[in-house]
């Protein structure tokens, strides 16, 4: 699934480690989500959405290219 | 574009220097342990050291008192090294409990590949033994089962990180 987590994070000037700390996950988890190799669970997706102050569907896009 | 695609494109256009850099980056990512992993690796050292000590003491005791002690006592002494392995399992389960969702996916990957790979190798050995094609030492095979699973588990984790990391 495509997502704009990296762009949102970089807009806020956070490193992967900072974002990981705020979400209580590992840096590798953030890296895996940003590269689209791992789709987060619904609770983690909600945490991300809450943190960025955005709706889940604006962060993740499940439509094919 | 993910890292693997990037690696492929760079390799195709002959950009060998940066291909090496990207490859090194991936390898570093594979073998970089988080603070949590390091903490639990350190916690797993004492049970392994105790295992080695108890194993040595147990083997020497059984060898020395084989003719003097009853079978039951000798069996208890021989099985003592299992206790530190139980301690090691407790450390691993605590680590698993502390993992986040992606880390658990990688752990499950490692466990699955570890169990399936070793199961397949043991089945293959069993078939060869059953058909009297090779002579197998069952005791030795049973003894090396856990180390074999552990080795295959690490291999599985590397594959998991490659696919999902």
């Amino acid at each position: 699934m495509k997502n704009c987590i990296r762009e949102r994070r970089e807009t806020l000037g956070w490193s992967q480690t900072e974002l990981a700390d705020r979400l209580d996950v590992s840096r590798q988890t953030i890296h895996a989500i940003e590269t689209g190799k791992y789709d987060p669970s619904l609770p983690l997706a909600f945490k991300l959405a809450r943190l960025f102050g955005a709706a889940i569907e604006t962060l993740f896009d499940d439509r094919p290219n | 574009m993910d890292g693997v695609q990037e690696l492929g494109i760079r390799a195709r256009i002959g950009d060998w220097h940066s291909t090496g850099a990207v490859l090194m980056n991936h390898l570093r990512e594979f073998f970089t342990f988080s603070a949590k992993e390091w903490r639990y690796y350190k916690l797993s050292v004492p049970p392994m050291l105790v295992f080695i000590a108890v194993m040595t003491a147990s083997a020497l005791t059984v060898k020395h008192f084989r003719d003097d002690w009853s079978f039951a006592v000798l069996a208890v002494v021989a099985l003592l090294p299992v206790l530190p392995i139980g301690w090691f399992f407790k450390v691993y389960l605590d680590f698993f409990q502390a993992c986040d969702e992606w880390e658990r996916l990688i752990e499950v990957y490692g466990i699955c590949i570890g169990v399936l790979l070793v199961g397949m190798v043991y089945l293959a050995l069993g078939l060869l033994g059953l058909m009297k094609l090779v002579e197998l030492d069952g005791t030795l095979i049973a003894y090396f089962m856990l180390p074999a699973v552990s080795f295959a588990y690490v291999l599985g984790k590397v594959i998991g990180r490659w696919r999902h990391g």
Side-chain angles (χ1 to χ4, degrees):
Chain A
M1 205 189 304
K2 284 183 293 179
N3 68 71
C4 60
I5 303 297
R6 184 189 294 264
E7 291 78 8
R8 294 269 184 166
R9 173 178 62 76
E10 285 174 352
T11 306
L12 292 168
W14 293 344
S15 65
Q16 285 186 339
T17 310
E18 266 180 279
L19 178 58
D21 288 344
R22 285 167 195 268
L23 293 167
D24 198 25
V25 296
S26 65
R27 190 197 59 77
Q28 290 101 320
T29 303
I30 299 299
H31 177 76
I33 294 171
E34 285 187 352
T35 51
K37 287 195 167 186
Y38 174 68
D39 296 329
S41 67
L42 206 48
L44 184 55
F46 268 111
K47 271 173 124 177
L48 273 162
R50 225 171 280 130
L51 196 64
F52 290 132
I56 287 183
E57 57 269 29
T58 62
L59 295 180
F60 299 95
D61 185 2
D62 67 339
R63 286 170 300 181
N65 292 334
Chain B
M1 177 166 62
D2 67 25
V4 178
Q5 283 173 317
E6 186 189 0
L7 193 64
I9 289 167
R10 282 177 188 276
R12 272 199 294 277
I13 63 174
D15 186 359
W16 293 109
H17 183 261
S18 54
T19 303
V22 173
L23 186 63
M24 282 307 290
N25 219 18
H26 276 288
L27 287 174
R28 205 177 301 124
E29 195 70 33
F30 282 154
F31 296 104
T32 300
F33 300 121
S34 64
K36 180 168 52 198
E37 280 176 314
W38 271 120
R39 191 168 70 246
Y40 282 101
Y41 282 139
K42 280 183 207 158
L43 282 173
S44 68
V45 171
M48 294 321 286
L49 291 177
V50 171
F51 170 76
I52 293 167
V54 174
M55 181 76 198
T56 309
S58 169
L60 290 173
T61 308
V62 170
K63 190 179 173 188
H64 193 74
F65 295 103
R66 184 176 292 276
D67 301 327
D68 306 326
W69 290 358
S70 69
F71 169 79
V73 177
L74 287 172
V76 168
V77 173
L79 291 175
L80 281 177
V82 174
L83 292 176
I85 295 298
W87 179 14
F88 176 79
F89 281 179
K90 167 83 173 65
V91 172
Y92 177 74
L93 288 176
D94 288 344
F95 166 70
F96 189 81
Q97 202 69 29
C99 284
D100 66 38
E101 54 185 60
W102 176 81
E103 290 170 321
R104 280 191 191 178
L105 172 76
I106 302 302
E107 289 303 310
V108 170
Y109 226 92
I111 295 165
C112 277
I113 289 186
V115 170
L116 293 175
L117 201 63
V118 173
M120 211 162 69
V121 169
Y122 271 59
L123 175 69
L125 287 174
L127 288 172
L128 291 173
L130 203 67
M131 294 174 195
K132 310 263 185 252
L133 292 171
V134 289
E135 200 72 31
L136 296 168
D137 183 347
T139 305
L140 207 62
I141 287 176
Y143 180 74
F144 278 107
M145 182 155 191
L146 192 58
V149 171
S150 304
F151 179 77
Y153 152 79
V154 173
L155 190 72
K157 276 185 75 165
V158 171
I159 295 170
R161 281 185 179 209
W162 176 264
R163 291 194 63 179
H164 299 285

